[in-house]
Amino acid sequence: ADVSVVVVGSCMTDLVSQAARLPKAGETIHGHKFFIGFGGKGANQCVQAARMGAKTAMVCKVGRDVFGNDYIQNFKNNGISTAYVEQTENAATGAASIIVNDTGENAIVIVAGANMLLGQEELQRAQSAIVNAKVLVCQLEINPDASLQALRMAKENHVKTIFNPAPAIADLHSDFYKATDVFCCNESEAELLTGLPVTSVEDASRVGLELLRRGCGSVIVTLGPQGCVVCESTNTAPKHIPTTAVTAADTTGAGDSFIGAVAFYMAQYPTMPLEEMARRANLVAAVSVQTVGTQTSFPLQKDLPTELF
Ligand code: RIB
Ligand code: NA
């Protein structure tokens, strides 16, 4: 059978330090734990969709180095097709330096490396997988031109598209909106894209409508512990979808868990209302924040309540 979810996006090796708080500029502080994990928004989203049961493929580029080799094995361990995972001699596998504080918040610097070398040729090689997928997912940790090209390729072939404008850029090309069915961002990304502050559900509804006006099919603004707001072009009123209260150990990748879950639902249950997909995806992401780590905290289908399927 064809792959149902294709992610064109990033892979990063996450170098994670846990500390009581985030350091200030020029400051050195002691942390209490260090670990290396598999991350990158694209790969994280693909892993969550795969763990929920979607047949997935990743289109990405890693270095011809230890981190790249390990990453390919990680995809295989998660049942993700590596047919379109390429290795390059010309750059190192992407890396993310992450600090997580005691309340589960983080600060991240990424060096995208090999991710930036994913381009037109690689997309051509993956074309049949992209145009035959049910859902394509893109972010902004690769060259934005490559993301836009992938979204257009999918959209022209009636493949549903999810776009996560992360990390956000203020001058996002207007065609991203037109090529996107579900535009999914968090508060800070929404602020950067619109110039409007987002500190409440009301703000999220306002920015959601503004982003919708730019031409996408629907918008989801995620709000961490407050769940998310869903705006659809077929429905005038934004809808707040609250989530369950949990104690956060590490929120890194929670948005990726959410998006991976939405991708799974769109592929598996194409007629399910987007609000219901968002409600369920909130619960999947809530599981992920309760454990330290990114992909290591993403639940499998067997770990989730059957009502979510
Ligand atoms: O969204 C979380 C991810 O952002 C991390 O895994 C890190 O790699 C950065 O890309
Ligand atoms: Na986590």
Side-chain angles (χ1 to χ4, degrees):
D2 284 334
V3 166
S4 66
V5 175
V6 173
V7 177
V8 173
S10 58
C11 300
M12 306 276 172
T13 303
D14 286 353
L15 307 166
V16 186
S17 298
Q18 287 178 265
R21 59 181 177 81
L22 307 180
K24 302 192 188 88
E27 187 187 24
T28 301
I29 60 170
H30 277 278
H32 50 84
K33 196 183 171 203
F34 173 80
F35 59 91
I36 298 181
F38 296 107
K41 294 178 199 301
N44 291 346
Q45 293 166 15
C46 195
V47 164
Q48 184 63 81
R51 289 193 184 163
M52 290 187 75
K55 196 165 186 301
T56 56
M58 185 75 197
V59 180
C60 65
K61 192 156 261 192
V62 296
R64 196 167 289 288
D65 49 26
V66 174
F67 286 150
N69 295 342
D70 288 354
Y71 219 120
I72 291 171
Q73 188 58 47
N74 177 55
F75 284 132
K76 292 182 176 155
N77 295 347
N78 281 282
I80 295 165
S81 166
T82 57
Y84 313 103
V85 178
E86 298 189 19
Q87 283 187 289
T88 177
E89 307 275 347
N90 300 327
T93 299
S97 298
I98 304 181
I99 302 166
V100 178
N101 72 13
D102 277 351
T103 59
E105 295 170 318
N106 62 54
I108 307 181
V109 176
I110 59 170
V111 180
N115 291 294
M116 286 300 169
L117 302 182
L118 182 71
Q120 198 162 336
E121 286 171 28
E122 292 76 12
L123 292 177
Q124 287 307 331
R125 286 194 278 275
Q127 186 169 23
S128 72
I130 294 171
V131 304
N132 289 303
K134 294 202 165 67
V135 178
L136 173 84
V137 191
C138 290
Q139 319 72 28
L140 289 177
E141 288 182 337
I142 62 171
N143 186 327
D145 295 339
S147 285
L148 183 54
Q149 192 188 343
L151 289 166
R152 283 184 176 137
M153 198 187 265
K155 186 79 180 175
E156 283 162 10
N157 289 280
H158 311 289
V159 176
K160 290 271 175 246
T161 56
I162 300 176
F163 177 54
N164 170 220
I169 44 182
D171 55 346
L172 186 70
H173 195 292
S174 59
D175 285 0
F176 274 99
Y177 298 97
K178 297 180 188 113
T180 299
D181 291 306
V182 178
F183 190 96
C184 186
C185 62
N186 68 16
E187 307 93 315
S188 65
E189 291 147 7
E191 283 192 11
L192 212 101
L193 292 166
T194 63
L196 301 167
V198 184
T199 57
S200 65
V201 169
E202 292 67 38
D203 291 346
S205 304
R206 193 174 313 117
V207 294
L209 289 174
E210 165 58 24
L211 294 168
L212 194 60
R213 200 189 54 74
R214 298 181 183 182
C216 37
S218 19
V219 176
I220 304 176
V221 180
T222 59
L223 298 166
Q226 298 206 79
C228 61
V229 167
V230 177
C231 301
E232 293 179 90
S233 52
T234 50
N235 194 341
T236 46
K239 185 88 193 285
H240 177 220
I241 320 281
T243 188
T244 49
V246 296
T247 303
D250 183 355
T251 60
T252 312
D256 299 332
S257 172
F258 180 92
I259 289 167
V262 171
F264 163 79
Y265 291 124
M266 282 173 64
Q268 199 80 4
Y269 307 109
T271 62
M272 184 184 283
L274 186 61
E275 287 174 12
E276 177 61 14
M277 295 187 197
R279 188 187 69 81
R280 295 185 190 198
N282 271 343
L283 302 177
V284 175
V287 172
S288 82
V289 304
Q290 294 175 71
T291 325
V292 171
T294 306
Q295 290 178 22
T296 50
S297 70
F298 289 4
L300 287 117
Q301 183 173 119
K302 68 168 178 56
D303 304 321
L304 291 164
T306 53
E307 307 88 83
L308 294 184
F309 296 91

